[in-house]
Amino acid sequence: MPSDEDALFGAVDALLEEVASREPLPAPAERKRLREAAGLSQEQVAGVLQVRREAVSGWEAGRTEPRAPKRAAYARLLEGLAARYPAPGAEPAAQDVAVPGPGGTEPPRAPAAAPPPPDAARSAAVPSPSRPAGSTAPARSPAPRRTTGPETSTKGASTTEAPDARFAHGPLGVLDGDGSVYCLGGLVLDCPAGTVVEVVEWVLGEAKLGGARLHRAGRDSDPLIVVTAAAAVRLGLPAELEDRRSLRLPQSHAVVKQISKAGWKLTKRGFGPWARVYRPADGDRRQCVQFAVLPWDALDTRSWGDTARLPAPDVAAVLGTYASRVITPRGSTAVCGLELMTALRPPTRAVRDETSGTWVPGPVPGSLYEAVDPAPPEAPAEHPIVAGLYPRHHQRTPDQVLDEEAFDWIREPELLTGAECARRFAVGIDVNTAFLAAANRLVVGLSAPVHVKKPAFDKKVPGSWLVDLSGIELDPRLPNPFTPHGERPGGPAWYATPTVAYAAELVATYELPVPIEPVEAWLRPESGPYLDPWYKRLSEAYRATMADLGVMAGMGDVEFLTAMATHRQADPGTAAVLSAIKATVKGGIGKLRERPQGAGYRAGERWPALERPTWRPDIRAAVISTARVNMHRKILKTALATQHAPAPTGHLALGDDALVPVALLSDCAVYLSDGPSPPDVLPYTPDGKPAPGTFRLGVSPGMVKHEGTQDLMWAVRMLEAGHNPAQHIKGTDAAHEGE
């Protein structure tokens, strides 16, 4: 019988072995170098570790990783070899030479200091996104040293979790013409590859690039290689794509042939600005590398600014920060927004089939796990459902189509009051990431729609409702909250649940004599806050990036406005990250109703996007409806807070002194003001706090910032010409800039 002491020592040894199993091993190429430096064969190593030779070969190629208890023994072998055969250029180990102490005595010998574990990586001082554009490339350290993960600065990843050893060098690398691969946090790797195929094999075998899954039922992010113009030449890629329609290399191109000949595959979109080279998964191990080709306009300037023109280290800093805070880029920011939804809420997970005892895919609670067709009013005009109901070129009326879009409204010039015409300025305020704020705690449908006749309205049930809201009368100076153009509806129309819920709120609050009685509805009995994780990750990324630019939560109004006035000029790289995050929000919501693309499409045909669970125009409508309703609610609260006489019951008429906007464009409102700044417009309580329910200055999603200021006559001329002042209030075209 073993003694208690033996049992304790055995438990301690097991614990130490578990700790050792979590420590990162040297890069696969370094494992091979150490074995060959010692003159050992793979058979000898396999014999000592009691494994097959093929296992050692797989460890050295990076195809597999050793598992406990073999991993701890393999790590010990590599550590011993590294002490005897340091990499060329590495600092030698300190010698345990005895130095006489005082009185001629010899102190006890200290154990020799182990040399830094060798690695294929070279460290360099690559800056964070705050590094000025156009600065020189970093000087390289002459001595390679091991890094177990990206050395992010304070402007790096927003998480403090320990890096995954499988992806020790970060989510992506920027390949330059000299074979250097710049990674996040100051790491430079040597890539000896001269072809796309060799790059793929190097990435999967040695580079340690990729990202850990965002949900335990999800999948890891594939490594991304960003190809600069110089690297494109090195890999045999053309300077620009000749086919501007399909944006891909022809099948006859040498690079495409090389990929196919080596047994790799391309997705249906081929080798274009964003390409994916893969082989079918080997068990649960994916074999896939993504490419972004900068000279082919992989980074849209509307989302990424001038990132593609920056030096390679700066590109790595910008894209790496975005990847660590949001997701590894895998296409446009719109694609990233949609992919982030799936990464945070995967459609399926492994569940045990009680009948067969095997593991099978099962839905993840709260996720979208299967593609469903929309209700007829929710479907865009190209959808087969619409083609089956109406003749070709039929223009659907409001009682046939759900039209939930953002505000685009201007007030008629003749409705300007005398008090407003006496003011001097037009001041624009803009809601921070309005669509993102609308997604917070929003309950959306998770299942297919169910048709119901004459239902009782329930604000807790997501869906689309056919109801007449034309009887709700508002002050003519206010935009109507039920239509994007702000005009009063002419009769029954389809609305998403948030719009009808706001109508019911107005009726109850202001005792309006209008019944809310839907004629019919398409409802989704299964529902949940599907977008909550998406909101949380993007809002944290947005606030962290704003903090990098010097705009913090909790600032006073004056301090906040001062910081906002120069935040983009302070740091172009981080400003590009901010722009990409905002584009991810809007693009992701837009992708929920992606329309057919390509010249070969014919009306009435299905298109690929319809087959994914995240093609959900009803969820897009719910988000936009909520954003528009939130905007109108604050506009109304602001008007009521600034008038002296309370509004009478039975209708919503405002006093002449009520503050009402003259224009709205999505999340921007333009007010006429006596002063040029938002505090001159927004109402405050006697103790200096924002009036309840009104707009509030601040950095968080849903709060507002200063959009711009022009003089009164500028705004009047815009209104008289039928132009929207909100689109041009900051001196540029907001719509053209993607705002």
Side-chain angles (χ1 to χ4, degrees), residues 134-343:
S135 53
T136 58
R140 307 189 181 193
S141 172
R145 61 183 176 85
R146 179 155 182 84
T147 53
T148 58
E151 297 177 358
T152 55
S153 70
T154 56
K155 298 188 179 185
S158 59
T159 177
T160 57
E161 297 178 0
D164 191 317
R166 297 171 301 158
F167 314 122
H169 299 153
L172 56 86
V174 179
L175 176 63
D176 213 350
D178 63 352
S180 299
V181 176
Y182 297 88
C183 304
L184 178 63
L187 196 64
V188 185
L189 308 177
D190 274 326
C191 177
T195 67
V196 170
V197 170
E198 291 174 351
V199 170
V200 170
E201 294 172 346
W202 173 81
V203 169
L204 296 178
E206 301 180 33
K208 290 190 176 182
L209 295 175
R213 64 194 67 188
L214 299 179
H215 186 283
R216 62 182 180 182
R219 66 187 189 193
D220 299 327
S221 292
D222 297 317
L224 169 65
I225 294 297
V226 182
V227 181
T228 66
V233 174
R234 174 188 176 99
L235 299 179
L237 299 172
E240 61 181 24
L241 288 172
E242 295 181 2
D243 187 347
R244 304 308 300 171
R245 172 172 289 184
S246 64
L247 292 177
R248 67 186 69 179
L249 291 177
Q251 293 295 319
S252 59
H253 194 276
V255 170
V256 177
K257 289 183 176 180
Q258 289 170 3
I259 293 171
S260 177
K261 185 177 181 180
W264 295 94
K265 297 178 180 293
L266 291 167
T267 59
K268 290 182 179 180
R269 64 183 177 184
F271 203 104
W274 291 91
R276 183 172 294 178
V277 182
Y278 72 98
R279 280 177 179 155
D282 180 12
D284 62 349
R285 180 179 175 83
R286 286 171 59 83
Q287 301 181 82
C288 179
V289 176
Q290 298 180 95
F291 288 87
V293 186
L294 296 184
W296 297 355
D297 300 326
L299 300 181
D300 189 337
T301 55
R302 291 172 297 179
S303 301
W304 294 100
D306 292 330
T307 300
R309 298 184 180 91
L310 298 177
D314 294 341
V315 176
V318 171
L319 296 183
T321 300
Y322 176 90
S324 60
R325 289 181 176 170
V326 182
I327 194 172
T328 302
R330 56 192 68 181
S332 68
T333 49
V335 169
C336 293
L338 198 68
E339 290 287 340
L340 181 62
M341 296 180 195
T342 303

Side-chain angles (χ1 to χ4, degrees), residues 285-494:
R285 180 179 175 83
R286 286 171 59 83
Q287 301 181 82
C288 179
V289 176
Q290 298 180 95
F291 288 87
V293 186
L294 296 184
W296 297 355
D297 300 326
L299 300 181
D300 189 337
T301 55
R302 291 172 297 179
S303 301
W304 294 100
D306 292 330
T307 300
R309 298 184 180 91
L310 298 177
D314 294 341
V315 176
V318 171
L319 296 183
T321 300
Y322 176 90
S324 60
R325 289 181 176 170
V326 182
I327 194 172
T328 302
R330 56 192 68 181
S332 68
T333 49
V335 169
C336 293
L338 198 68
E339 290 287 340
L340 181 62
M341 296 180 195
T342 303
L344 293 168
R345 285 197 186 271
T348 59
R349 60 176 177 171
V351 295
R352 183 177 290 277
D353 185 341
E354 299 299 334
T355 304
S356 63
T358 59
W359 292 92
V360 297
V364 174
S367 292
L368 304 174
Y369 58 88
E370 62 181 355
V372 297
D373 279 336
E378 298 165 352
E382 303 90 343
H383 200 281
I385 288 178
V386 179
L389 290 175
Y390 305 104
R392 191 176 181 185
H393 303 308
H394 171 75
Q395 187 67 37
R396 288 185 290 175
T397 55
D399 61 338
Q400 296 173 337
V401 61
L402 178 70
D403 185 25
E404 294 285 12
E405 299 295 341
F407 272 127
D408 187 355
W409 167 85
I410 62 173
R411 201 197 311 172
E412 294 295 332
E414 57 267 22
L415 293 178
L416 294 175
T417 66
E420 288 175 327
C421 292
R423 293 168 183 158
R424 299 174 53 198
F425 300 99
V427 178
I429 57 173
D430 182 80
V431 179
N432 300 325
T433 56
F435 293 155
L436 183 62
N440 186 23
R441 298 192 298 274
L442 177 65
V443 176
V444 300
L446 302 177
S447 57
V450 177
H451 189 233
V452 183
K453 286 283 190 179
K454 293 185 177 180
F457 176 68
D458 186 347
K459 66 179 182 181
K460 296 181 181 179
V461 179
S464 301
W465 311 76
L466 180 61
V467 60
D468 189 353
L469 302 180
S470 62
I472 298 179
E473 185 177 358
L474 306 178
D475 190 291
R477 290 172 295 163
L478 285 170
N480 190 285
F482 312 129
T483 62
H485 48 70
E487 301 297 327
R488 189 171 177 175
W494 285 96

Side-chain angles (χ1 to χ4, degrees), residues 602-613:
R602 296 293 178 266
E605 297 177 349
R606 295 185 70 84
W607 59 95
L610 302 185
E611 311 309 321
R612 67 178 185 233

Side-chain angles (χ1 to χ4, degrees), residues 51-142:
V51 297
R52 298 173 60 195
R53 185 198 63 79
E54 289 79 1
V56 177
S57 175
W59 299 345
E60 293 183 352
R63 294 189 299 270
T64 58
E65 289 291 319
R67 298 181 179 180
K70 311 297 184 185
R71 182 185 177 94
Y74 188 47
R76 184 178 179 85
L77 171 64
L78 295 175
E79 182 180 0
L81 295 178
R84 291 171 172 78
Y85 308 101
E91 295 180 3
Q95 302 297 316
D96 55 340
V97 179
V99 179
T105 61
E106 184 176 300
R109 294 192 176 194
D119 198 338
R122 293 170 298 152
S123 176
V126 180
S128 71
S130 61
R131 187 173 130 188
S135 53
T136 58
R140 307 189 181 193
S141 172

